[in-house]
Amino acid sequence: MSFDKNKFLRQHIYLNWLRPENILYEFHSNLILLETLKKIPKKSSKINLGVGNGINSFLAQGGEFNQEFDWYVNNHLRNKKSKDIYNQFNSGLSKKIVKKKNTIKFDTVIDNKKNLLKLSKFLGISNEYFQKDLNKKIILNKKYNFIYSNMLYWLDDINLKIKEIKKFLEKDGYFLLGILNKNILKNSIVNEFNKKSKIYNYLNNGRYECYKQILDEEAFEKQLEKEFVVIEKRQILKKFTNKCWDIGLRPFSVELIKMANHLNKNKRFEIKKNWCEKLYPVINELSYQELDQKNSTGAVTFYFLKNKEN
């Protein structure tokens, strides 16, 4: 059966309907993982470093959700002090949220947050799940043919982490890595404001301070090429979509989620479906911009790498 890209895009629209600015970033990053998983040998041992709640990985691994499910169904917004409103697990979730199980499994997934791992385990995306702080030294008990990570920009020293990761990659293994590059600052609307201003603090809400690694691509690639062969490089989150993502509905998301989750199930889905179907033609049109690799304004760079023996 051929891959239906439009259906895959719709999955992301229905999952992110209250935060539409996130749709294209998640769609294209998941598409890259999905396509990469098809390129590596089928029996490859695989690890996902920083899997989060597993929703994105589940999609890239061939899974499909029922349209009633989204990022916000799981969210009760009880912890007002936490900036990560998604760091929750709803123990009352039904298995019916899954329309089609994932066809590919990771051997191992790791994340720092216990609640996020609970949802990953609920979705069955891996054979084993470990809670680890990846800022600390990475210690694994085996090597892998394929390593994936799209969160190293949250860590203190990305170059040190890559050297640690390489130790657990088989000599002919592959590494798919996502990073933030300096376009994320060039494209930003939020960063046009004085960092001491109220509007900057309101719109930013601590986001940019959490990004510890925003890299110069050229300098980073010189370091990468010492350890790996670069098979493919792709940029996503281009200038316009980056600007949309930079603010979007994020400042109002808590109120939107509360409002949606106070509706009864049928009314919620009726409104959601109308909302998503009106979003689809706009998001679909914008998605083509992300595919244009001649447009080098993308703020996120993915590298598909092969291990190099030193």
Side-chain angles (χ1 to χ4, degrees):
M1 188 180 291
S2 60
F3 174 66
D4 188 338
K5 195 174 285 187
N6 291 327
K7 185 178 180 181
F8 194 62
L9 177 59
R10 264 199 168 85
Q11 278 274 290
H12 289 80
I13 293 171
Y14 274 78
L15 280 166
N16 290 281
W17 67 297
L18 295 177
R19 293 285 303 277
E21 69 275 14
N22 290 339
I23 294 168
L24 285 173
Y25 168 63
E26 293 191 1
F27 168 69
H28 284 285
S29 58
N30 292 339
L31 188 60
I32 288 170
L33 175 56
L34 182 151
E35 291 172 349
T36 304
L37 288 169
K38 291 179 180 179
K39 292 174 184 175
I40 62 174
K42 282 188 177 180
K43 294 185 178 180
S44 298
S45 55
K46 300 177 285 291
I47 184 170
N48 186 330
L49 300 174
V51 68
N53 63 13
I55 288 176
N56 286 318
S57 194
F58 176 80
L59 293 174
Q61 291 169 234
E64 187 179 338
F65 291 104
N66 279 309
Q67 289 183 336
E68 289 87 348
F69 179 71
D70 50 58
W71 279 84
Y72 323 106
V73 168
N74 194 44
N75 199 308
H76 298 299
L77 302 170
R78 288 174 182 152
N79 186 357
K80 295 180 181 179
K81 293 181 180 179
S82 175
K83 289 184 178 179
D84 185 358
I85 62 173
Y86 303 110
N87 184 20
Q88 301 180 43
F89 177 69
N90 179 358
S91 59
L93 275 180
S94 167
K95 288 287 184 183
K96 291 180 180 179
I97 67 169
V98 173
K99 184 175 181 180
K100 176 192 166 191
K101 290 184 178 180
N102 47 300
T103 53
I104 297 171
K105 271 196 173 188
F106 277 88
D107 293 85
T108 308
V109 296
I110 293 174
D111 202 83
N112 188 35
K113 295 179 179 177
K114 186 177 180 180
N115 284 325
L116 299 185
L117 276 175
K118 284 181 179 179
L119 183 53
S120 290
K121 193 170 185 178
F122 180 86
L123 295 173
I125 61 170
S126 181
N127 294 323
E128 55 184 7
Y129 306 80
F130 294 111
Q131 185 182 0
K132 291 178 184 286
D133 181 355
L134 292 172
N135 255 322
K136 296 178 181 177
K137 187 174 181 179
I138 299 173
I139 300 173
L140 302 169
N141 57 15
K142 59 183 175 183
K143 290 191 174 187
Y144 295 86
N145 303 114
F146 176 71
I147 296 176
Y148 171 64
S149 188
N150 184 23
M151 54 70 65
L152 296 187
Y153 48 83
W154 296 95
L155 305 182
D156 296 330
D157 189 335
I158 193 167
N159 290 315
L160 175 63
K161 286 297 126 182
I162 288 172
K163 286 179 180 177
E164 288 180 9
I165 288 167
K166 182 180 168 73
K167 292 177 183 176
F168 302 101
L169 186 62
E170 294 284 5
K171 64 180 181 180
D172 59 347
Y174 298 93
F175 182 23
L176 180 62
L177 169 66
I179 65 149
L180 299 182
N181 66 56
K182 289 190 175 180
N183 284 335
I184 201 166
L185 300 176
K186 291 178 186 176
N187 299 339
S188 172
I189 297 171
V190 172
N191 279 293
E192 291 178 10
F193 297 101
N194 186 311
K195 286 187 169 65
K196 294 181 180 178
S197 66
K198 289 183 179 179
I199 191 167
Y200 174 85
N201 288 321
Y202 175 69
L203 294 175
N204 178 48
N205 193 27
R207 173 187 262 175
Y208 281 95
E209 287 70 29
C210 290
Y211 296 154
K212 297 182 180 179
Q213 305 288 329
I214 297 176
L215 302 171
D216 177 275
E217 275 190 342
E218 187 176 347
F220 180 65
E221 284 166 19
K222 285 180 181 177
Q223 291 297 316
L224 267 188
E225 288 167 356
K226 293 177 183 178
E227 308 287 346
F228 304 95
V229 176
V230 179
I231 298 173
E232 188 177 16
K233 169 186 171 181
R234 290 169 69 176
Q235 279 190 351
I236 61 170
L237 206 62
K238 303 296 174 67
K239 188 174 183 178
F240 180 75
T241 46
N242 192 171
K243 286 184 180 296
C244 294
W245 169 88
D246 202 37
I247 300 177
L249 298 182
R250 183 170 179 258
F252 326 106
S253 60
V254 170
E255 287 71 26
L256 282 169
I257 294 166
K258 284 180 179 178
M259 181 169 61
N261 288 350
H262 272 81
L263 297 169
N264 69 57
K265 185 179 178 181
N266 291 335
K267 194 65 180 176
R268 186 184 192 275
F269 183 63
E270 179 189 332
I271 293 169
K272 175 183 177 178
K273 187 175 181 181
N274 290 334
W275 179 303
C276 292
E277 292 306 319
K278 287 178 180 178
L279 265 177
Y280 177 78
V282 178
I283 300 295
N284 187 46
E285 187 66 28
L286 287 174
S287 71
Y288 290 102
Q289 175 183 282
E290 295 293 301
L291 297 172
D292 179 11
Q293 291 304 301
K294 292 179 181 177
N295 175 350
S296 59
T297 63
V300 178
T301 309
F302 277 89
Y303 296 96
F304 181 37
L305 309 165
K306 187 165 186 179
N307 204 357
K308 182 191 286 185
E309 288 193 63
N310 294 332

